[in-house]
Structures are given as structure tokens and as C-alpha cells.
Amino acid sequence: MNATRPICPDDAPALAALLRANRDFLAPWEPIRPDVYFTPEGQRAVIEDDLSRLARGDALPHVILDAAGAPIGRITLSGIVRGAFQSGSLGYWLSAPANGKGHATRAVEHIIALAFSALNLHRIQAETLPHNTRSQRVLERTGFTPYGRAPAYLNIAGTWQDHTLYQLLNPIWHP
């Protein structure tokens, strides 16, 4: 069983239920979202937007799966830029009960493999809040290295917050 699979519109109800059940758990790490975001209709709109970005080659949206193949979170490589950059930005979230069980590590490893083989990207970046040590451990365990700090980088939980920047370079990149 893969750690992730491509997202599809049929995932909307399951993802909406996960987001509602984990709303308080995820709130410190996420932008403030409107209530519609936590509904199947809201998630269907998010998924349709992600699938449009996938079709343009701008994103690689996946769901994270448990051992039975049920969605337990999301992972997306977004902001894919070609040309001289050949890079994308990684983001992910997991439900509270799925944390600490290796799911995020396996999901990140799976996306790295896709990004560096099928997409032939040169670089993946990821950003974390400085106090998000669990996410930092996942990134470091999968080979990412910190390379800087971005002040007031993203508006998270209603406040512009600094982020620690991580990157991973493709050791076998070829033009």
C-alpha cells in the first residue's frame, strides 16, 4: 500500500470530516479558514482547484493514507516552477490520531520520489513555523536541511509568522 495517492473529487466528504474533527488541532498551523472550507462542498472546490493546478503542471496534490487505504491527511507539492528553477514547495497535514506513527515521514518520502523521478525536479522546499518541531523532524528525517528564516512569511492562525525554510536537492537531477 502506498503512503499517498492522487487526490480525487470523491475524497471531498472524507477530507471535510477529517478537517472538521481536527479543526482545533490544525488551527495553530493553518491560515484562518471560512466555515465552508470544512464542508464537502468546500473541499470539492479545493480539490477541483488542485486538479486544475495539476493539469497545468503547477502542483502534485495527494491524500495521505493509513494502512487500510483511508485518507488521514493531505500532502501537496505546489508552486512547481520549471525553467531555471525546477522546484516546488511541499506542504502537508495529518489528523491528530495519525500523528507520531510515521505516516508523514512515509508520505514525504513518497512525494520526494515522485518529485525527483517522474517530475525530475531539482529542488523541493518546505517551510515550518519555528516551534513546529514535529514537522521539522519529519523533514530532517527525510533529508531536508534548514537554510534560513523568512520573517512574517505566512499568515497563520491570523498572524503573520516567521518560518524556518528547508530544502532538499535532487542528487541525480538530469537536464
Side-chain angles (χ1 to χ4, degrees):
M1 164 76 40
N2 280 334
T4 77
R5 68 163 168 73
I7 200 165
C8 69
D10 291 343
D11 291 320
L15 290 172
L18 276 173
L19 287 164
R20 280 192 309 277
N22 290 276
R23 191 171 187 168
D24 291 339
F25 173 73
L26 295 171
W29 318 109
E30 292 281 321
I32 294 175
R33 311 275 191 188
D35 288 339
V36 70
Y37 180 82
F38 301 90
T39 67
E41 296 77 22
Q43 282 305 295
R44 194 164 288 109
V46 168
I47 292 168
E48 288 173 6
D49 181 59
D50 286 343
L51 292 174
S52 293
R53 292 185 305 132
L54 171 66
R56 290 190 311 266
D58 299 339
L60 183 67
H62 277 226
V63 290
I64 302 173
L65 306 171
D66 66 12
I72 54 173
R74 292 261 336 244
I75 186 166
T76 301
L77 190 61
S78 61
I80 296 173
V81 177
R82 295 301 187 163
F85 200 38
Q86 297 295 329
S87 185
S89 183
L90 183 69
Y92 53 89
W93 63 265
L94 276 175
S95 65
N99 267 251
K101 298 179 180 172
H103 296 295
T105 298
R106 286 187 294 278
V108 169
E109 289 170 341
H110 188 229
I111 295 300
I112 289 169
L114 293 171
F116 286 171
S117 62
L119 297 180
N120 192 35
L121 293 178
H122 168 67
R123 179 178 173 276
I124 304 170
Q125 66 183 39
E127 307 82 17
T128 71
L129 291 165
H131 59 280
N132 191 346
T133 56
R134 292 183 99 170
S135 190
Q136 292 166 13
R137 282 195 305 260
V138 168
L139 292 171
E140 290 168 3
R141 198 172 18 249
T142 56
F144 283 79
T145 56
Y147 71 96
R149 187 172 182 122
Y153 186 68
L154 292 173
N155 192 311
I156 301 296
T159 304
W160 288 102
Q161 298 193 43
D162 295 356
H163 278 67
T164 302
L165 307 175
Y166 283 80
Q167 70 176 1
L168 179 64
L169 300 179
N170 185 345
I172 57 167
W173 185 82
H174 55 85

